Amino acid sequence: MTDDMPPIKAALEAILLVVDEPVAEITLAQLLEHPTAEVHAALRELAAEYRDQGRGFELREIAGGWRYYTAEHCAPVVERFVTDGQQTRLTQAALETLSVIAYRQPVSRARVSAIRGVNSDGVMRTLTLRGLIQEAGQDPESQATLYRTTGYFLERLGLNSLDELPELAPYLPDEISDIEEIHG
């Protein structure tokens, strides 16, 4: 081990903290320039230490590698945190964008932006990440990606189908209702 390298357990913790999928012992050994047997022993020691200390996370060997996971006894707290994070209110821009998509779907980003009169790209990314909208193919003429609402959208609004969305006409100014009737 060189002088500038951290101790093996600290190095393993640092690496495993940032991985998205389990990392094989051989990969960790090559990266840390330690024998595989030494890495194996250090990983097992770390896993035992976390378990014995009753930590909120575990180090598990799974799918041919090692990775951190939430400890089983902490799962309800994590679940509450994740679902509460999804409960945050939508901004006015997100509500407007979601309304346009719900009533005009499938619809392109450009069409949503044209209807709202402002660029909606960022809001649409947020709505996609929150699982409220999804891609729905491409427009055959413009090749633009089309978007529609998801089943999660219906679930959050307590609807069985889009047919249950309220009629818009009563909420539109008279001149817009007249235009819709002429062109509709």
Side-chain angles (χ1 to χ4, degrees):
M1 180 167 97
T2 60
D3 292 336
D4 61 341
M5 290 290 285
I8 188 170
K9 286 184 182 178
L12 287 168
E13 288 174 326
I15 292 166
L16 293 171
L17 191 63
V18 298
V19 300
D20 291 341
E21 54 191 42
V23 180
E25 288 178 5
I26 186 82
T27 303
L28 293 167
Q30 290 170 346
L31 182 66
L32 299 177
E33 299 175 347
H34 281 275
T36 305
E38 191 177 326
V39 169
H40 176 80
L43 288 165
R44 294 223 178 272
E45 287 173 24
L46 283 171
E49 288 173 23
Y50 301 148
R51 189 175 43 257
D52 294 346
Q53 294 170 2
R55 292 306 224 0
F57 59 91
E58 300 171 346
L59 180 58
R60 293 188 206 151
E61 184 177 15
I62 193 162
W66 291 82
R67 183 171 176 223
Y68 286 118
Y69 291 89
T70 301
E72 190 66 35
H73 68 277
C74 292
V77 176
V78 173
E79 183 178 334
R80 188 168 42 237
F81 172 77
V82 170
T83 56
D84 282 353
Q86 295 297 314
Q87 301 291 333
T88 56
R89 293 185 166 272
L90 293 174
T91 64
Q92 184 66 33
L95 288 171
E96 290 172 7
T97 302
L98 192 53
S99 296
V100 170
I101 295 166
Y103 283 95
R104 296 285 186 159
Q105 63 187 305
V107 64
S108 68
R109 286 178 192 253
R111 182 74 176 133
V112 171
S113 295
I115 292 169
R116 289 191 60 232
V118 295
N119 185 309
S120 300
D121 291 356
V123 177
M124 290 185 69
R125 274 192 296 279
T126 299
L127 293 172
T128 301
L129 287 172
R130 292 182 87 176
L132 295 167
I133 65 171
Q134 64 188 8
E135 290 185 9
Q138 288 188 316
D139 182 290
E141 292 178 19
S142 68
Q143 298 303 308
T145 301
L146 299 174
Y147 292 85
R148 67 174 175 232
T149 55
T150 63
Y152 180 66
F153 165 81
L154 292 174
E155 180 184 325
R156 298 298 300 159
L157 266 62
L159 304 174
N160 288 315
S161 74
L162 293 171
D163 296 333
E164 294 180 12
L165 285 171
E167 290 294 321
L168 279 182
Y171 303 103
L172 297 174
D174 290 336
E175 59 274 3
I176 293 178
S177 295
D178 295 340
I179 291 171
E180 288 290 323
E181 287 174 19
I182 293 169
H183 295 294

